[in-house]
Amino acid sequence: MTYALLSVTDKRGIGDLARGLAQRGYKLLSTGGTMKAIQDAGVEVENISAYTGFPEMLDGRVKTLHPKVHGGLLYRRDLEDHVKTVKDHGIESIDLVVCNLYDFEGHLEKQAPHEEMIENIDIGGPSMIRSAAKNYQSVYVLTDPEDYEDVFKAMDGEIDDKAFRERLAMKAFSTTAYYDAMISRYMQDRLGEKAKTLTLGLKKVSDLRYGENPHQKAARYRDPMVDSYYKSIQQYQGKELSFNNLNDLNTALELVMEFKDPACVALKHATPCGVAKADTVYQAYEKAFEADSLSIFGGVVAFNQEVDGKTAEKMVEIFLEVVAAPSFSDQALEAFKKKPNLRVLQFDPKKQTASMDIKFTSGDFIIQEKDKLAHTDWKTVTKKEASPQEIKDLEFAELVCKYARSNAVVVVKDGQTLGIGGGQTSRIWALESIQTHHKDRDFTGAVLASDAFFPFDDCVKLAAKMGIKAIVQPGGSIRDEDSIKVCDQEGMAMIFTNTRHFRH
């Protein structure tokens, strides 16, 4: 007698699969809800308890954890000793397992109580899957409804059976690894401490056309532990999102959601080029555009509030790759249709960003907490105090500076970036790049933020020549007094934060 054991949470297609297996001579074993679904499909099925001679117990925690199940899965059909052993113990051959697991991920998404999370940790399911997958040369192991049709093709010789079995085993072990990674991360997050091993389970969302460049393959994966902006995205129009779009969008959304007032972030190559806040979204966009009308071309633009028709009409005057906002008016969506290739994305502003920042360094992962700190422990170190408006602009500038590439300086006036200098190997070059790229701009009365301390007073001297009136920086250089002295001579205010904001 050849048995198939079916026990699934996701019951899509289970009736048709059971019918097809019965037609091919399999005797079906099942449990609980799965057995009812098979019976409802008009297919004969035996309860697992009747097969094992042992009842389900402990509220269903123990039902398939039995030698007649795992012996039937694990014994080597090509070893006489194995064959004799199972025969002596009355163990039948189970040659096919269909199993997907308790919905731990779904309960994680809805933030179920801890007791409910624990009850949705599957034990018997992963055990069956692993037993079947280890013995894949003799046992089909189906963990994905998408494979149900192909298993019949393999049985009928329409596709390579050996290769198909091995592929099923790979998917099976990947399934249990992903599942266990979620549980491990959940427990670590709950306890607020990290284990010596960190297992990241990521689920593939889609293939991408290519990576940063056309010759690089790429795909998009999602971390189930992060209820991210990306998970909520609704795309109204435009081409498929590319690797570079997604990378740029990440920075744009994180930055724009730092602000409470209507704000707009224009970004190019993962670096902000124009950022502004205002009384309305339209005004914020105008100011962000004016901040750098050259770099915004072909860029990503993000808002923290609904985009109206007037703003959309203004935006379609230029070429943009992506526009993202929490919502769009009907008039805005209609206006964007003038640019059919423009990707228009809606996201849920109540979602979150990851708590970890991870970089892969050719074999090692280096992991840090996200840089979420701002506006803490500020101390004026000059004779002059910054005015209330300058304080607002300094806070704005420091937030933007967190998202510019180091070495970074940001110049701001009236809630608008007048220049963002980033990605330089010298801090003075970062400020010089602002002066050079915006040589016709009046910086009088503006403020400046730096992501790290000034090693020399050259940046302060240049800032004074540009008309900048207040500076915020971490402090901590052995030459801090030189910078403070220049500020006092030029009538400038300087604030130390004791907080560096490198972004490499």
Side-chain angles (χ1 to χ4, degrees), residues 63-181:
K63 49 193 172 187
T64 58
L65 297 170
H66 193 281
K68 287 193 71 173
V69 172
H70 290 275
L73 293 172
L74 282 166
Y75 84 93
R76 291 270 302 271
R77 277 66 167 169
D78 59 333
L79 294 181
E80 289 185 12
D81 183 54
H82 280 210
V83 173
K84 182 178 183 303
T85 298
V86 295
K87 184 177 180 180
D88 289 345
H89 289 86
I91 296 174
E92 300 286 353
S93 179
I94 301 177
D95 291 343
L96 186 144
V97 165
V98 187
C99 185
N100 48 65
L101 306 174
Y102 291 174
D103 189 18
F104 185 87
E105 184 171 356
H107 287 77
L108 186 67
E109 286 184 0
K110 69 179 185 181
Q111 298 181 330
H114 179 62
E115 294 76 13
E116 193 173 328
M117 295 301 300
I118 295 300
E119 288 306 312
N120 278 278
I121 296 175
D122 202 332
I123 302 301
S127 301
M128 279 196 305
I129 289 172
R130 290 175 61 83
S131 291
K134 178 171 181 174
N135 208 18
Y136 70 88
Q137 292 175 332
S138 299
V139 183
Y140 293 107
V141 54
L142 296 167
T143 56
D144 185 350
E146 291 183 6
D147 293 319
Y148 291 176
E149 290 186 14
D150 283 346
V151 75
F152 296 130
K153 293 178 182 178
M155 291 176 182
D156 296 340
E158 295 178 28
I159 59 176
D160 186 324
D161 184 67
K162 182 179 179 181
F164 179 65
R165 287 173 179 272
E166 191 161 2
R167 177 172 167 270
L168 290 180
M170 176 274 291
K171 292 182 71 171
F173 285 120
S174 298
T175 296
T176 56
Y178 175 77
Y179 194 76
D180 285 339

Side-chain angles (χ1 to χ4, degrees), residues 178-330:
Y178 175 77
Y179 194 76
D180 285 339
M182 276 192 294
I183 297 167
S184 169
R185 295 267 302 284
Y186 168 76
M187 295 299 291
Q188 290 182 51
D189 287 352
R190 176 175 168 81
L191 293 173
E193 62 181 78
K194 300 300 180 186
K196 289 183 179 179
T197 56
L198 176 62
T199 306
L200 300 176
L202 306 176
K203 181 179 288 185
K204 188 174 183 178
V205 177
S206 64
D207 288 311
L208 300 173
R209 285 185 298 161
Y210 51 79
E212 287 183 288
N213 300 291
H215 63 275
Q216 294 172 271
K217 292 182 179 180
R220 180 180 176 187
Y221 290 80
R222 177 164 293 147
D223 185 346
M225 302 302 296
V226 182
D227 191 20
S228 70
Y229 297 129
Y230 278 10
K231 192 179 292 186
S232 69
I233 283 177
Q234 176 182 352
Q235 184 167 350
Y236 285 104
Q237 67 170 57
K239 296 185 292 185
E240 178 187 352
L241 287 165
S242 70
F243 183 99
N244 291 330
N245 292 153
L246 291 165
N247 189 46
D248 290 348
L249 184 63
N250 181 62
T251 301
L253 294 183
E254 287 188 350
L255 174 52
V256 80
M257 293 309 299
E258 293 262 19
F259 302 107
K260 299 292 188 292
D261 297 326
C264 176
V265 170
L267 185 136
K268 192 77 167 284
H269 300 309
T271 300
C273 58
V275 184
K277 63 178 182 178
D279 293 331
T280 68
V281 164
Y282 181 80
Q283 293 170 339
Y285 172 71
E286 276 197 317
K287 291 169 71 174
F289 174 81
E290 292 166 359
D292 191 340
S293 59
L294 182 63
S295 297
I296 195 176
F297 185 84
V300 170
V301 177
F303 298 88
N304 63 350
Q305 296 187 18
E306 180 173 280
V307 173
D308 56 23
K310 181 181 178 182
T311 306
E313 289 286 358
K314 187 70 175 175
M315 295 177 76
V316 296
E317 293 178 2
I318 64 168
F319 167 61
L320 296 171
E321 287 278 0
V322 180
V323 176
S327 59
F328 299 92
S329 70
D330 292 341

Side-chain angles (χ1 to χ4, degrees), residues 55-63 119:
E56 291 187 20
M57 59 186 300
L58 305 179
D59 298 319
R61 286 188 172 199
V62 178
K63 49 193 172 187
E119 288 306 312

